[in-house]
Amino acid sequence: MIKFLDNKFFCYLSIFLFLNTSIPSVKSASSLAAWAIKTNGVLELRTKSNTNLKAYFQKANQIYGDRFWVDFPGELANPRKIKGNGPIKEIRLGKPNNGKTRLVIEFKKNTYLNPLTWRMVGVDQNRWRIKLFNPKYSFKKIGEGLVDKKTRNTKANKNSSYMIKRNHDYLQLPKVKQNKFSVIIDPGHGGPDPGAIGIGGIRETDVVLEVSKIVKKLLSDKGVKVKLTRKNEVDLDLFPRVSIANKTNADIFVSIHANASRGKRRDINGLETFYFRGWKGRLLAKKIQKQILRVSPGSPDRGVKQGRFYVIKNTRMPAVLVEIGFLTGRIDARRLEKTTHRKRLAYAIAKGILEYLSKVG
Ligand SMILES: [Zn+2]
């Protein structure tokens, strides 16, 4: 533990919240709407809805005291500094790079902090809180804007202009040349082979079939020719999956699976993407992995790996096998049950595929 505390970065908190499939563009205005540090040592934040936050802590060095900071999407208009009081030396709002906002809280020397216990909690779709220090320090509230302000209620958000915006965002998938590409999507397992069985009896075959069908729809809308290796619960061997791909001379092959851990351990969660050979396969895997992680906040990144699975080993085109989460995992299973999450994953897979196609052609 001591060694750990000696590290420069000794605490890393990562918090994400996605409430729908729209992903704000990088050029948007700051998603930080208001903030306040209250006398009880709690930092409260108000952001735009579906904001993706990252929080960090760094121990003091020669230049700075202990610092806690949060990064927000969207660019801050006016970088500024605010003098602190009590245990807080200074608060800085800046843009660490274009398109980002950073709120930094720097503490005075000899302030007792225990960041290992810190937890950022989402209290509402646009509100967050984290306890930073003990109320034993006398501190006068500092803040900007109203952190308690309610955003328009859900009813108001359902008006037509909001829906149009959402739909519009939803269609913001990369453009590719129409009718140029052909993609094989392979929903794993099927029929008598349900694949992994997870918490509450959730079956891999059902999950991956639904995700695959949505991927097909999204790609077809973009003018990509898509073939599913199976459209329903049929028993399909591995060989015909490969031969469909090789016969149609598809540009890429994407097999979709969900995982199960040995012993059905609920603490094992995460996403991973496999390829067998070639930089193209690896690139496709990377593009997909990056996108599926974005829609799976809090679930571990198990990485892009080389794997010797039959379907990616024997297909002739760039081929990947995506594992979209652990049906036996506490975090993943609860989400994979839901169609909303399956849609997000499908969107992410489609986005990864389109990014690959638009790049490699
Ligand atoms: Zn599987």
Side-chain angles (χ1 to χ4, degrees):
M1 186 63 83
I2 297 298
K3 203 173 168 200
F4 187 47
L5 289 169
D6 282 343
N7 286 342
K8 208 170 166 198
F9 277 88
F10 82 94
C11 183
Y12 172 86
L13 313 147
S14 185
I15 308 101
F16 303 90
L17 182 70
F18 274 87
L19 283 141
N20 62 35
T21 45
S22 70
I23 291 157
S25 83
V26 178
K27 280 180 187 154
S28 60
S30 177
S31 51
L32 173 64
W35 61 273
I37 306 164
K38 306 212 161 159
T39 50
N40 58 3
V42 173
L43 167 69
E44 294 194 13
L45 301 168
R46 180 162 64 84
T47 62
K48 285 181 185 165
S49 296
N50 42 281
T51 288
N52 171 353
L53 306 182
K54 282 190 178 181
Y56 305 84
F57 181 83
Q58 190 170 12
K59 211 157 164 43
N61 55 30
Q62 275 110 330
I63 307 163
Y64 297 111
D66 287 349
R67 278 171 301 155
F68 169 73
W69 70 92
V70 187
D71 284 346
F72 305 82
E75 192 162 302
L76 182 77
N78 311 306
R80 53 196 180 267
K81 286 180 184 176
I82 294 145
K83 203 174 173 300
N85 71 75
I88 292 174
K89 188 180 167 201
E90 187 175 72
I91 293 134
R92 294 185 288 274
L93 287 113
K95 41 181 174 185
N97 42 45
N98 289 345
K100 284 265 182 317
T101 297
R102 177 171 289 173
L103 170 72
V104 184
I105 297 167
E106 185 176 343
F107 293 90
K108 285 183 187 157
K109 261 189 199 159
N110 304 323
T111 301
Y112 174 76
L113 301 169
N114 188 9
L116 291 174
T117 63
W118 290 0
R119 289 283 171 276
M120 178 88 90
V121 181
V123 288
D124 202 344
Q125 58 170 336
N126 63 333
R127 288 177 54 205
W128 308 83
R129 67 194 324 162
I130 181 167
K131 179 145 186 159
L132 300 177
F133 58 87
N134 202 297
K136 77 175 183 196
Y137 291 103
S138 81
F139 175 74
K140 266 192 289 176
K141 184 188 162 183
I142 313 178
E144 294 178 312
L146 293 171
V147 282
D148 296 327
K149 190 176 149 192
K150 291 264 181 296
T151 42
R152 283 183 301 157
N153 61 35
T154 342
K155 232 181 197 169
N157 280 348
K158 277 188 181 144
N159 68 32
S160 56
S161 67
Y162 181 76
M163 291 309 286
I164 288 163
K165 191 169 167 286
R166 269 190 63 170
N167 286 337
H168 181 71
D169 279 343
Y170 193 70
L171 294 172
Q172 291 299 307
L173 285 168
K175 281 202 180 91
V176 291
K177 279 206 184 107
Q178 298 268 313
N179 308 317
K180 183 172 181 236
F181 300 108
S182 111
V183 171
I184 304 290
I185 301 292
D186 174 43
H189 313 275
D193 166 20
I197 307 282
I199 297 170
I202 183 172
R203 304 187 327 154
E204 179 179 355
T205 180
D206 301 326
V207 176
V208 299
L209 183 60
E210 187 176 10
V211 170
S212 301
K213 284 180 172 175
I214 307 167
V215 173
K216 179 182 179 186
K217 165 94 177 55
L218 292 168
L219 292 177
S220 305
D221 289 348
K222 288 283 167 182
V224 174
K225 210 175 129 198
V226 186
K227 201 166 199 169
L228 292 174
T229 55
R230 68 176 178 96
K231 291 185 193 126
N232 41 44
E233 287 307 328
V234 289
D235 189 10
L236 185 63
D237 212 345
L238 297 179
F239 173 73
R241 296 177 198 254
V242 166
S243 69
I244 291 170
N246 289 346
K247 258 190 249 159
T248 51
N249 213 3
D251 292 291
I252 58 168
F253 176 93
V254 177
S255 189
I256 302 178
H257 288 253
N259 247 324
S261 58
R262 247 181 236 157
K264 302 204 168 189
R265 284 178 53 179
R266 294 191 177 209
D267 58 328
I268 297 180
N269 296 276
L271 299 94
E272 56 197 351
T273 305
F274 295 92
Y275 69 102
F276 174 66
R277 70 170 84 78
W279 68 270
K280 287 185 174 180
R282 181 155 186 269
L283 181 68
L284 176 60
K286 279 172 83 174
K287 296 274 182 204
I288 293 175
Q289 177 72 5
K290 186 180 167 197
Q291 294 302 326
I292 56 177
L293 283 171
R294 289 187 72 172
V295 298
S296 308
S299 189
D301 177 6
R302 296 171 60 94
V304 165
K305 300 170 184 166
Q306 220 170 351
R308 303 182 61 83
F309 299 103
Y310 185 92
V311 290
I312 54 172
K313 195 174 155 191
N314 292 291
T315 33
R316 285 193 218 112
M317 63 290 306
V320 299
L321 188 146
V322 191
E323 293 279 4
I324 57 175
F326 278 80
L327 294 168
T328 46
R330 195 179 289 117
I331 304 171
D332 296 343
R334 200 185 297 155
R335 288 184 183 147
L336 288 165
E337 265 174 13
K338 295 177 189 139
T339 292
T340 46
H341 184 65
R342 295 179 189 177
K343 279 184 185 165
R344 281 177 206 154
L345 282 167
Y347 174 85
I349 293 169
K351 190 164 183 184
I353 290 172
L354 290 165
E355 279 183 349
Y356 169 87
L357 292 175
S358 65
K359 194 160 190 179
V360 174

